[in-house]
Amino acid sequence: GRRALGADDDYDIVTLAADRAASVGRWSLEAGTTLRSQRHGAAIDLAPQQLGGVLAMSAFSPGVLGGDHAATVRALARRPLNEVPWLRLHGGIALEYGGAWNGDFHDAPASGLWPVLTGFVALATPLGPLWLVGGVSEEQRRALHLQLGSRF
């Protein structure tokens, strides 16, 4: 936003994402990273960049991690668990690493970045996948999520 365009203050919001997918036999492999950053003046209050939830730092509830900046790196492997066409079930694991912080983007605190191990099963439904996802991290951080549909 820019004052010249009618905003209360100047601010910038930037999101960078990169993903790569491949198949090896019955396995689908995915790797990706997401960086989100916002810079704003004192006259404007923007909602924090948030992490947590299904395959977005799964050891945390949605919105638990938040700040002016957020970053994640993830690697995921999944495969079909059955051969029934009308009851497609997939399962997999993921490794995630990331966090959210305030201050300068380049001052990411090492203590505020978390490694997460995630396991999941997904059932294909007419309304989208039904996910059951569990994540664990350091310091006894863990969460279990049930979600219908995919996150955008």
Side-chain angles (χ1 to χ4, degrees):
R2 297 287 171 246
R3 285 185 181 159
L5 297 174
D8 292 336
D9 200 357
D10 291 332
Y11 64 92
D12 297 302
I13 300 174
V14 176
T15 300
L16 299 172
D19 293 290
R20 178 77 175 148
S23 295
V24 178
R26 294 175 45 98
W27 287 92
S28 295
L29 308 174
E30 300 172 32
T33 186
T34 303
L35 305 169
R36 297 190 309 251
S37 181
Q38 61 190 24
R39 184 183 57 81
H40 55 87
I44 192 166
D45 188 22
L46 297 175
Q49 304 293 324
Q50 296 183 349
L51 294 174
V54 173
L55 299 175
M57 302 300 290
S58 301
F60 299 88
S61 296
V64 166
L65 298 174
D68 288 338
H69 316 286
T72 60
V73 176
R74 68 198 158 282
L76 179 141
R78 69 172 148 193
R79 61 165 287 175
L81 296 178
N82 65 5
E83 299 292 331
V84 182
W86 51 269
L87 184 68
R88 292 188 330 232
L89 186 65
H90 288 80
I93 59 169
L95 297 173
E96 305 169 87
Y97 185 75
W101 65 96
N102 290 311
D104 190 72
F105 180 78
H106 302 288
D107 294 337
S111 63
L113 300 177
W114 299 88
V116 175
L117 175 63
T118 300
F120 62 89
V121 292
L123 174 66
T125 74
L127 299 174
L130 178 63
W131 295 87
L132 179 62
V133 179
V136 296
S137 189
E138 298 173 330
E139 298 180 19
Q140 302 297 317
R141 304 270 184 177
R142 58 185 171 264
L144 185 63
H145 310 276
L146 182 63
Q147 176 177 302
L148 179 60
S150 297
R151 287 177 61 159
F152 295 100

